[in-house]
Amino acid sequence: MSGRTREGFYVLWTIAILICLIVCIVLLAYVSLVDGGPSQTTASPADVQTPVEGQVPADGQTSVDGQTPVDGQAPVEGQAADGTVPDGQTADVTPEVAPAAPSTVLTATIDLGMEYQNKLVFLGDSTTYGLMAYSVLPSYQVWVPASGTLSLFNWAIETVQYYPMGDTVNAQTLSIADAAAAGQPEYLIVTLGLNGVTLLDETQFRDYYTGLLQAIQTASPNTRIMCQSIFPVIDGGYPGGNTEGITNEQINAANGWIQDIAAQMGLRYLNTRETLVDDSGNLNGSYCSGDGIHFTPDGYNAILQYVRTHAYQ
């Protein structure tokens, strides 16, 4: 092969190699464009959803920035409106707790003594009458009928012996509402329901008891009323049991109604029963006068001890 021929061959070969390289580069570029480039695609601006302020994302999760918390809660104290915390500050994540409402059931307190006891007035039936009959309390602190007994269903037509404060001689015969209006007691403890618990169904019992409390509130709106539990008895099947057919099962059911009424009306409930029962759930025999229902002076002193140590809150 001559020199001229060999030189021409090398030129052609070089041109062919260059053409092949150019074709390869073009093909690679074309494939890159068709496949969308690298395997990790980048979403275009149109594909990115900007959260709308106050809107919960479709998956139910709250967005980190600029979103109102689920349930419409305000941002945590210490955060800006967009949910961020300013530099150098720590978000307060402790939720605010509303002050607890006073409990309906009076719980144990220190013994407030005679100063507190002397402010109390007791309205009740024959189990309350003993407070005056045994001179455990002066008569002006005890509102009961002259007969000594009071049935819940007769409260609106019955009268009580009302003694002006400090007077133990000059009794006035007044309706319960009139006695409340005249006396305006600071504290009134109501102990009713034993006479009636065997005769009234739940609806009747609730209606009579609620009506009584409403009448007292109307007559003496500033009086702090405590609804005392009906006292336990000794069931007829036990030695010394009562012959009235009253059972502690009936009393316990009625006490539940009384507690419920007190809660609904924003009053207090004195669960004095708990200090008077024995292990069998009957009235402690040492407190009983012998008929299964009424109390000895020791029983009344136990009641007053409980009242003083479960003071009105």
Side-chain angles (χ1 to χ4, degrees):
M1 181 181 297
S2 65
R4 183 178 297 273
T5 301
R6 190 167 42 250
E7 183 179 347
F9 177 79
Y10 289 152
V11 171
L12 290 175
W13 180 254
T14 301
I15 292 173
I17 292 173
L18 291 174
I19 292 173
C20 289
L21 290 173
I22 292 172
V23 170
C24 290
I25 293 171
V26 171
L27 287 175
L28 288 173
Y30 176 77
V31 170
S32 177
L33 291 173
V34 170
D35 292 342
S39 58
Q40 294 183 348
T41 59
T42 303
S44 66
D47 296 329
V48 179
Q49 296 288 334
T50 301
V52 178
E53 184 175 355
Q55 186 180 64
V56 178
D59 61 358
Q61 299 297 318
T62 306
S63 177
V64 175
D65 294 327
Q67 294 298 302
T68 301
V70 179
D71 298 333
Q73 296 177 351
V76 177
E77 184 177 353
Q79 292 183 352
D82 63 355
T84 61
V85 181
D87 292 340
Q89 296 186 18
T90 303
D92 181 4
V93 296
T94 303
E96 293 186 6
V97 179
S103 173
T104 298
V105 180
L106 292 174
T107 55
T109 64
I110 61 171
D111 190 335
L112 295 192
M114 296 305 297
E115 182 179 358
Y116 177 70
Q117 182 174 301
N118 290 340
K119 298 177 182 178
L120 305 174
V121 172
F122 291 78
L123 166 66
D125 50 31
S126 58
T127 59
T128 298
Y129 178 78
L131 288 167
M132 179 175 60
Y134 288 113
S135 298
V136 178
L137 287 179
S139 53
Y140 56 80
Q141 286 186 258
V142 183
W143 294 355
V144 292
S147 64
T149 189
L150 176 62
S151 297
L152 177 60
F153 48 82
N154 282 337
W155 75 263
I157 60 175
E158 188 62 89
T159 57
V160 296
Q161 297 296 102
Y162 168 77
Y163 295 81
M165 185 61 70
D167 189 344
T168 59
V169 178
N170 301 303
Q172 303 175 31
T173 301
L174 301 176
S175 69
I176 293 174
D178 287 344
Q184 299 288 311
E186 184 173 351
Y187 300 95
L188 180 66
I189 297 177
V190 178
T191 315
L192 282 174
L194 184 64
N195 297 322
V197 72
T198 62
L199 303 175
L200 303 174
D201 61 27
E202 179 179 352
T203 299
Q204 293 170 323
F205 189 101
R206 286 176 177 269
D207 287 346
Y208 281 117
Y209 205 101
T210 302
L212 166 67
L213 297 177
Q214 290 174 336
I216 295 170
Q217 285 183 316
T218 299
S220 184
N222 294 322
T223 294
R224 298 170 180 175
I225 300 174
M226 289 171 268
C227 302
Q228 187 164 225
S229 58
I230 302 173
F231 299 139
V233 297
I234 299 178
D235 284 340
Y238 289 81
N242 73 88
T243 59
E244 303 296 326
I246 303 171
T247 68
N248 285 306
E249 182 179 3
Q250 294 168 328
I251 290 173
N252 292 341
N255 281 337
W257 305 337
I258 293 172
Q259 182 177 336
D260 188 42
I261 292 168
Q264 293 175 356
M265 298 183 67
L267 307 178
R268 303 293 184 270
Y269 178 76
L270 265 170
N271 188 27
T272 313
R273 172 194 173 277
E274 67 182 358
T275 197
L276 300 173
V277 294
D278 59 18
D279 292 339
S280 66
N282 281 295
L283 172 62
N284 189 319
S286 65
Y287 294 152
C288 183
S289 64
D291 63 359
I293 295 177
H294 296 95
F295 295 88
T296 63
D298 284 345
Y300 286 111
N301 283 319
I303 291 170
L304 291 178
Q305 172 74 16
Y306 185 91
V307 170
R308 291 195 309 269
T309 56
H310 292 75
Y312 189 103
Q313 301 294 304

